[in-house]
Amino acid sequence: MRSLLVIVLAAGEGTRMRSSRPKVLHALAGRSMLAHVLDTATRAGAAQVAVVIGPDHDAVADEARRAAPEAEVFVQTERRGTADAVLAAREALARGFDDVVVMYGDTPLVRPETLAALRAPLAAGAAVAVLGFRPEDPAGYGRLLTDEGELVAIREDKDASPAEKAIGLCNAGLMAFDGRVALDLLGRIGNANAKGEFYLTDAVEVARSLGRRSGVHEAAVEEVAGVNSRAQLAEAEALMQARLRRAALDGGATLVAPQTVFFCHDTRIGRDVLVEPNVVFGPGVHIEDGATIRAFSHVEGAHVGAGAIVGPFARLRPGAELGQGVHVGNFVEIKAADLAPGVKVNHLSYVGDSSVGANTNIGAGTITCNYDGFRKHRTLIGANSFIGTNTLLVAPVSVGDGAYVGTGSVITEDVPADALAIGRARQVNKPGFAARLRERLSAGLAPKK
Ligand code: UD1
Ligand code: MG
């Protein structure tokens, strides 16, 4: 196994994003572009990851360390070109890895398999390997110049002759280097070009002048799409969602209308799960086999047990733990609550900071009043209990196993096991009262037509 150093260039400001946030911190499928790239690097087997950021980009450094705690962060103090950016990580390069791969923080759709394919020419003796692609419009990209099928140079758009501009095969930006010569190659790159920048791409010509070969691996256009604007971010999101939907389908889930289901990068979804149209999954969701997520539900930070039914129009918030066969119905919100197997909360309820025992039924319109304006309090409901419709459970409070709570109760005291609690005004019937009242109120008025 060849050791791998991945250097991620993340110095871009991303002015076209019109954002106060650095570009690489914008998110796709629930995590930053930078985190996607770091994840790809890690999954491709990188022994070390280095992230090159611009000056005063502390937020980017923080995100890099959060997403990849082992990552080293380097600062490129002045924007002098891509080769100069890579050299900011000189200290990591000097440690002598077999392979060095350079990725861009704003190119988030690259897969680990593609990194492996890109590195293959290095194992076969090449000094440089370039990820090529054929964009619909090559304007702006570096063109790959070949001679008898061999890559001999990369010509940047601004420096290209009309004949070179006609070449369709372009540089996607990802490049790989033989780690033993990378520093030497980069050190020989000059800046005599249209932009006056140190071009990383010149490594191909430098290697050739030293008698070393360069290789190309061609990737699909979609995979190497870079993000420079909000519109491109939305396009990348669409591509990422298409991948996630495909993975869910391949894993044995049914998506009735895949285009309307939105996944997070980490959504785990089992076999024979049915997802109806218009469902959104936020971060940290695990849906077990055979569960059904009905239309228009929003699910994040939740674990849904096997065979459970959620929705339509349900909201599961972080810490929702639904056991096997639980039913959570329409207009129900669950947050930080453990629902044991067989629990039913079918209509119009809020259950938060709670634990509910097996097979308990929670009636329509039940609310756990968990917040006093300062702190959250817990509601503990036992197994096989029955909470009547329109009950308010004022936490902290508990309801024992097998207890009944009468409809319309406001429960402020603990309910013992197997007890019946009624916490509402007693009903009074006054015979004939309504008729007398009507007579009194209508006195002197013209009869109704
Ligand atoms: C680069 C490639 C080009 C390729 C294209 C693909 C070079 C010289 N050219 O061109 O062949 O077709 O990407 O999108 O590499 N960066 C720094 N510091 C710098 C300069 C750049 O960190 O001093 C970062 C940028 O933030 C960006 C990446 O490197 O993430 C590429 O730089 P950019 O200026 O966008 O290069 P392109 O002209 O697009
Ligand atoms: Mg660019």
Side-chain angles (χ1 to χ4, degrees):
M1 267 270 281
R2 298 167 64 92
S3 63
L4 171 65
L5 164 67
V6 174
I7 299 176
V8 179
L9 303 191
E13 296 283 342
T15 40
R16 278 172 62 201
M17 298 295 280
R18 310 243 185 283
S19 174
S20 53
R21 238 188 309 167
K23 178 164 72 174
V24 297
L25 299 188
H26 286 262
L28 291 180
R31 71 173 165 189
S32 68
M33 291 198 267
L34 181 60
H36 279 284
V37 172
L38 293 174
D39 184 52
T40 299
T42 306
R43 286 196 290 140
Q48 180 64 51
V49 179
V51 181
V52 178
I53 65 172
D56 307 320
H57 270 182
D58 293 346
V60 179
D62 291 347
E63 172 65 357
R65 294 196 184 97
R66 191 200 58 77
E70 312 288 299
E72 279 180 283
V73 176
F74 297 94
V75 178
Q76 184 193 24
T77 44
E78 206 185 322
R79 199 182 165 90
R80 300 200 303 160
T82 43
D84 179 70
V86 172
L87 280 172
R90 180 187 300 275
E91 206 184 302
L93 281 161
R95 274 180 226 136
F97 294 89
D98 294 324
D99 294 355
V100 176
V101 169
V102 176
M103 299 178 76
Y104 291 168
D106 64 0
T107 307
L109 296 164
V110 178
R111 297 165 309 138
E113 301 87 289
T114 304
L115 255 55
L118 174 65
R119 292 166 67 195
L122 302 181
V128 181
V130 178
L131 196 64
F133 77 128
R134 293 177 191 274
E136 219 168 277
D137 177 11
Y141 293 107
R143 309 299 203 286
L144 303 191
L145 313 190
T146 52
D147 185 8
E148 291 177 2
E150 200 189 314
L151 179 65
V152 293
I154 303 178
R155 190 73 70 238
E156 288 307 299
D157 194 60
K158 283 208 166 127
D159 304 290
S161 67
E164 289 166 343
K165 281 192 175 169
I167 295 171
L169 184 59
C170 294
N171 173 24
L174 269 79
M175 293 178 69
F177 302 89
D178 173 349
R180 283 161 306 179
V181 297
L183 268 177
D184 182 38
L185 293 181
L186 294 172
R188 291 168 186 261
I189 291 173
N191 65 346
N193 51 53
K195 279 178 149 180
E197 284 189 359
F198 295 88
Y199 289 163
L200 185 61
T201 45
D202 282 350
V204 172
E205 276 179 285
V206 171
R208 192 172 156 81
S209 72
L210 299 174
R212 297 288 306 268
R213 285 187 301 108
S214 296
V216 181
H217 171 72
E218 208 175 311
V221 178
E222 299 80 41
E223 189 173 350
V224 295
V227 172
N228 297 305
S229 63
R230 304 271 184 171
Q232 287 174 342
L233 182 68
E235 282 164 25
E237 176 81 53
L239 291 165
M240 185 77 77
Q241 288 299 333
R243 255 186 217 174
L244 294 167
R245 288 167 191 147
R246 183 56 200 252
L249 293 167
D250 288 348
T254 294
L255 310 182
V256 177
Q259 267 70 7
T260 69
V261 177
F262 293 84
F263 288 103
C264 205
H265 67 95
D266 63 349
T267 308
R268 287 164 63 201
I269 186 161
R271 296 168 74 135
D272 296 313
V273 167
L274 169 64
V275 183
E276 291 186 355
N278 298 299
V279 169
V280 176
F281 294 105
V285 171
H286 181 194
I287 312 285
E288 303 242 31
D289 293 353
T292 298
I293 311 296
R294 304 200 58 201
F296 296 99
S297 293
H298 191 281
V299 182
E300 63 184 317
H303 174 215
V304 175
I309 301 176
V310 173
F313 298 98
R315 178 165 186 212
L316 302 185
R317 291 174 51 202
E321 279 283 334
L322 276 50
Q324 202 172 337
V326 163
H327 289 190
V328 168
N330 42 264
F331 310 110
V332 171
E333 174 178 344
I334 310 282
K335 185 218 75 172
D338 234 309
L339 275 48
V343 166
K344 292 194 175 72
V345 194
N346 273 327
H347 331 267
L348 299 156
S349 293
Y350 171 60
V351 179
D353 299 300
S354 303
S355 123
V356 184
N359 302 314
T360 282
N361 187 90
I362 298 197
T366 297
I367 305 287
T368 54
C369 311
N370 58 333
Y371 188 46
D372 58 15
F374 296 91
R375 288 184 181 78
K376 300 285 170 64
H377 302 283
R378 290 185 62 76
T379 300
L380 307 176
I381 302 173
N384 303 303
S385 56
F386 185 95
I387 309 296
T389 298
N390 201 29
T391 291
L392 304 181
L393 296 155
V394 183
V397 76
S398 70
V399 176
D401 290 345
Y404 253 71
V405 173
T407 290
S409 290
V410 179
I411 298 297
T412 54
E413 286 166 31
D414 292 351
V415 180
D418 294 318
L420 166 66
I422 305 177
R424 64 179 185 229
R426 187 175 280 277
Q427 182 171 330
V428 180
N429 288 342
K430 300 189 174 179
F433 191 100
R436 289 198 300 279
L437 182 68
R438 213 161 26 240
E439 208 167 292
R440 184 156 55 82
L441 296 178
S442 63
L445 295 178
K448 265 198 185 147
K449 292 214 177 98

